[in-house]
């Protein structure tokens, strides 16, 4: 059994992206987006994503629709839909996301968005089995 107190995990990590758990079909990742930061517009072909917001405020843009997100909100991004999440508040926007199937390398930690982007561009952030 894996057990996480997600608020505690969020408080422990100021990293942009930290993979907490990877299974065969899903992956749990915690993210911290700094004030004024964003995940970056992207599309995951063949991967569904569910994001739950732990703290902060932001804006979710999914498939041309934009909504405000707050602590406790959950957003579903079906595979193939363009999306981005932007921190619009003065504090970090903290969330956890479940990818199905996994999207990132098992156990990967990216301290910043730039570090994560560079790792992806270099092919160093591939999910298991790819």
């Amino acid at each position: 059994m894996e057990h996480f107190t997600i608020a505690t995990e969020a408080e422990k990590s100021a990293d942009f992206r930290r993979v907490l758990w990877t299974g065969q079909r899903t992956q749990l990742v915690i993210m911290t987006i700094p004030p004024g930061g964003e995940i970056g517009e992207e599309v995951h072909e063949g991967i569904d994503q569910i994001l739950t917001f732990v703290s902060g405020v932001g804006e979710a843009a999914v498939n041309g629709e934009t909504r405000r997100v707050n602590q406790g909100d959950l957003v579903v991004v079906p595979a193939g839909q363009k999306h981005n999440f932007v921190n619009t508040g003065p504090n970090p926007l903290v969330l956890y996301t479940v990818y199905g199937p996994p999207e990132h390398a098992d156990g990967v930690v990216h301290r910043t968005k730039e570090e994560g982007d560079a790792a992806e561009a270099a092919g160093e952030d591939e999910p298991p089995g790819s």
Side-chain angles (χ1 to χ4, degrees):
M1 171 194 297
E2 296 288 335
H3 178 268
F4 300 97
T5 302
I6 209 68
T8 302
E9 293 297 324
E11 288 174 7
K12 289 191 316 191
S13 175
D15 298 315
F16 174 72
R17 177 184 302 125
R18 176 179 295 271
V19 174
L20 295 178
W21 180 82
T22 302
Q24 289 185 332
R25 294 177 193 86
T26 58
Q27 183 174 62
L28 175 63
V29 177
I30 193 157
M31 300 185 74
T32 301
I33 305 167
E38 63 181 286
I39 289 176
E41 191 171 85
E42 59 188 0
V43 175
H44 301 298
E45 296 297 341
I47 298 173
D48 294 323
Q49 187 175 9
I50 300 170
L51 303 95
T52 303
F53 296 85
V54 176
S55 64
V57 296
E59 184 176 273
V62 179
N63 209 30
E65 186 178 347
T66 303
R67 293 212 178 147
R68 180 178 171 91
V69 290
N70 299 291
Q71 178 180 349
D73 288 348
L74 182 143
V75 176
V76 175
V77 180
Q81 292 196 352
K82 187 185 301 184
H83 59 280
N84 192 13
F85 297 87
V86 179
N87 183 344
T88 59
N91 300 310
L93 178 62
V94 180
L95 63 102
Y96 63 92
T97 182
V98 176
Y99 294 99
E103 168 69 1
H104 299 285
D106 187 29
V108 76
V109 175
H110 297 130
R111 289 177 288 126
T112 65
K113 179 181 183 326
E114 294 75 22
E115 185 178 290
D117 289 347
E120 288 177 13
E124 298 169 352
D125 185 25
E126 297 298 318
S130 60

